[in-house]
Amino acid sequence: MLSRMQTAAIWDAIRELSSDDRPNQVRHTFDLVLLNLRQDTGEVLLTRDQLAERIGCAPQTSAPSWAHWKKWA
């Protein structure tokens, strides 16, 4: 589970992303992950396809968002 300080550090890193890295999409993905975590295990309850659908892109297009998420996880 992420602490508040870790979450803030990730949000800061997202704000520093270049526009080519689609920071809004990365932030939206991260926020959805936070909202869909099992509290007891930290398991993300949405699949990659479900996350992509919710942020409004194809799963292949969400790959940059996942790459950033995995870097911080």
Side-chain angles (χ1 to χ4, degrees):
M1 189 60 81
L2 293 173
S3 71
R4 289 180 177 163
M5 289 182 64
Q6 290 170 314
T7 300
I10 291 170
W11 283 334
D12 289 342
I14 291 170
R15 277 193 296 279
E16 293 175 10
L17 292 174
S18 72
S19 60
D20 292 341
D21 288 325
R22 299 191 302 260
N24 290 331
Q25 194 175 58
V26 174
R27 171 67 190 261
H28 193 180
T29 303
F30 181 63
D31 290 345
L32 285 170
V33 166
L34 286 178
L35 292 170
N36 290 281
L37 285 177
R38 260 186 75 163
Q39 295 301 310
D40 57 338
T41 64
E43 174 189 6
V44 178
L45 299 174
L46 296 174
T47 66
R48 180 178 171 172
D49 288 345
Q50 289 170 320
L51 283 166
E53 182 180 328
R54 291 196 185 182
I55 63 173
C57 70
Q60 307 88 301
T61 310
S62 69
S65 298
W66 274 109
H68 290 297
W69 167 250
K70 286 180 175 184
K71 179 171 55 177
W72 298 315

